[in-house]
Amino acid sequence: MSYRAVKGMNDILPDEVARWHALERAFRETAELHGYAEIRTPVVEGTELFVRSIGETTDVVEKEMYTFSHHSESLTLRPEGTAGAARAYVEHKAHAKEPVSRWYYLGPMFRAERPQRGRYRQFYQAGCEIFGDPGPACDAEMIDMLVGLFRRLGVADVVANIGSIGGAATRDRYRAVLRDFLAPKAGELSDHARARLDANPLRILDSKDPRDQAACQGAPNILDVLDEADRAHFEALLGHLDSLGTPYVVDPLLVRGLDYYTRTLFELKSSAGELGSQNTLCGGGRYDDMIRGLGGPAVPAIGFAMGLERILLALGPIDAPKRTTCSVAPMGARAVSKALELGRALREAGVVADVDGRGNSLKSMLRRADGLGARFCIVLGDAELERGAVQLKDLAQHTQEELPMAAVVARVAGGAG
Ligand code: HAM
């Protein structure tokens, strides 16, 4: 019997993790510079939270949730982070503590999708949510932050697509318009789309089925049915982006796959690197009705989440800062405890240190030091112990010198230059 990771769920091995750290660091720094504070919510929530907030007739809720029952409770592995953040916002009465909350999160999400490059069953998102600010300036600031972050990361060809889905009244009106447009073509739709025609025709717009895509050609444009307040919000947002000089493209067909959105929607796409068809790096929008819908006060909200695997596919190598590494190679049992002491002293001086305690030959210890990418190797055997000295090998310069034991830590810490 051989064990393998679950399909669509990947190991991230130590030699890949440096790129993850660099990406996560850039995200955290950017979010914190914009006043966001980190929140960590559980990876499991009551199923009903996702059904209520994401929407019963979305792909995520209909087909993609990992749901299980435990002691008669129905629980679900979170397919996204917004519902949990909103639940925490309501549960902890955050609105009573501050008028505006800016939260960010990083972590694994779970969707039972068909795995392919850029689409996994466990994947990592980094996201931000703002609660309590209804204005288009905050939408513009968020989109500008994302464009800036992708630029800083060096993701090429990023395009910010922006649309609006209006408020509840606009959406009801648009649903009716869309239903009237699609009803005569019901026979051409996929079975799944036909079943959604009454309950949620908007979802047909983002169907991947070519029959549905053909039927949607020439569909009425939601931007044409926005009411006055929705239109004013959308135009103010575009005005702010124009004055910031933030590039964007208006996409009148943007609908997004989750039902909680109101007004502003956006997606950032790229064709860079090894991204294939899964080229949406980041998606988000406003969801002004969710907090009230979850039993909280009427607090408006906006947010986004980006898929970290997809961004890493879009990026080439990321230069992670390298710290000086030193391997300590004791020759013989007596030298081992001195080597452990030296290892500790090196780390206290900020040097990454590794003590090779395997009792192997010098050649094998040097090979390992090389494999670790160590700059230095300190060799100490019985003869050196007698003299209170060590041999310091500089593996980059291919030199060796004997130093007093008391001097070697300072020499290594200062000598990586
Ligand atoms: P979403 O569009 O479902 O939105 O996901 C956001 C991003 O997560 C996508 O653009 C993609 O990069 C990544 N992603 C989604 N599914 C997968 C997958 N199966 N494998 C790899 N990456 C994936 C949300 O999740 C919303 N919660 C965003 C949001 C926050 N809206 C408001 N606040």
Side-chain angles (χ1 to χ4, degrees), residues 359-374:
N360 281 15
S361 68
L362 178 60
K363 193 169 158 206
S364 144
M365 289 197 283
L366 286 174
R367 204 178 311 124
R368 169 151 182 233
D370 228 22
L372 286 173

Side-chain angles (χ1 to χ4, degrees), residues 184-201:
K185 307 180 178 193
E188 300 158 33
L189 294 172
S190 67
D191 293 347
H192 193 241
R194 207 172 313 113
R196 283 174 168 183
L197 191 53
D198 268 336
N200 202 350

Side-chain angles (χ1 to χ4, degrees), residues 317-364:
I318 302 179
D319 282 338
K322 254 203 148 346
R323 298 181 65 177
T324 307
T325 300
C326 180
S327 191
V328 187
M331 308 274 298
R334 265 201 329 129
V336 172
S337 37
K338 201 73 210 164
L340 289 171
E341 254 176 58
L342 268 177
R344 185 165 63 189
L346 284 162
R347 292 175 201 116
E348 281 167 3
V351 174
V352 178
D354 168 277
V355 176
D356 194 335
R358 297 172 302 160
N360 281 15
S361 68
L362 178 60
K363 193 169 158 206
S364 144

